[in-house]
Amino acid sequence: MDIEVGFESTVGRKPDLKSGMQSVKQRATQKMVSEVRKNASAQFNRTGKYADGWTSEVDGDDVVVYNEGERDSMSHLLENGHVVIDRNGVLHGDWSPGEDHIKPAFEVAQKVYLQAAEDLIDDVLKEW
C-alpha cells in the first residue's frame, strides 16, 4: 500500500518523529473525512448536505472527525438505525436499520495511520 505521509526529510535534516506523527495524524484524519463523505454520499445522497458536513480537527494529540452541517444530528441515527416517526410526530412502529458509513471510514483511516506511522518510524531509525 503506497501512502504519502509528508514526512520526507529536507536537505541536511533528519526526519523528526514528533512533527512526522503530526503529519501522519493529519493525513489519516483527512482520509477518514474523505471516506465518510464518500460513504455517506453513496448511501444518503438526497441533498448532499449530510455528506458535505463532515470535517475534522487535529489539536495536539486530539483528533476529532464530526459532522457540522445542517444534518449533523443524524449521524448516530443513520449509523445505528432508528424508529420511523412522521412529520406529525406519530410513531409508525417501523424500524429503519442503520447503514455503516462511519465505521468503515474509520477502519480505512486506521490502516492509513498505522502504515504511515510504521513508515515514519522506519525512516527515523534508518537515520540513527
Side-chain angles (χ1 to χ4, degrees):
M1 173 187 315
D2 284 336
I3 301 169
E4 296 178 24
V5 289
F7 55 80
E8 299 83 15
S9 61
T10 57
V11 178
R13 242 180 99 206
K14 293 182 179 179
D16 176 37
L17 188 59
K18 186 173 182 176
S19 64
M21 284 307 295
Q22 281 299 106
S23 179
V24 166
K25 257 191 284 191
Q26 186 66 41
R27 298 271 176 150
T29 302
Q30 289 170 350
K31 183 65 174 173
M32 181 166 174
V33 170
S34 69
E35 285 292 313
V36 77
R37 281 181 178 171
K38 180 180 76 173
N39 296 346
S41 182
Q43 294 174 356
F44 317 111
N45 197 23
R46 292 169 77 183
T47 65
K49 291 180 182 178
Y50 177 72
D52 291 343
W54 286 95
T55 189
S56 65
E57 291 180 16
V58 177
D59 182 21
D61 291 337
D62 298 327
V63 176
V64 181
V65 176
Y66 60 98
N67 192 309
E68 69 176 1
E70 292 179 27
R71 309 279 192 242
D72 62 336
S73 63
M74 295 174 52
S75 301
H76 69 285
L77 300 173
L78 295 173
E79 183 83 5
N80 301 317
H82 58 88
V83 294
V84 178
I85 299 175
D86 68 18
R87 293 179 185 200
N88 298 320
V90 177
L91 176 66
H92 288 272
D94 296 334
W95 179 260
S96 178
E99 295 185 39
D100 285 340
H101 61 289
I102 300 169
K103 185 177 179 181
F106 171 77
E107 290 169 351
V108 168
Q110 187 177 38
K111 288 177 184 174
V112 167
Y113 178 87
L114 293 173
Q115 183 63 53
E118 285 180 21
D119 292 346
L120 173 63
I121 292 167
D122 287 346
D123 282 357
V124 169
L125 291 175
K126 285 178 190 174
E127 296 295 324
W128 272 18

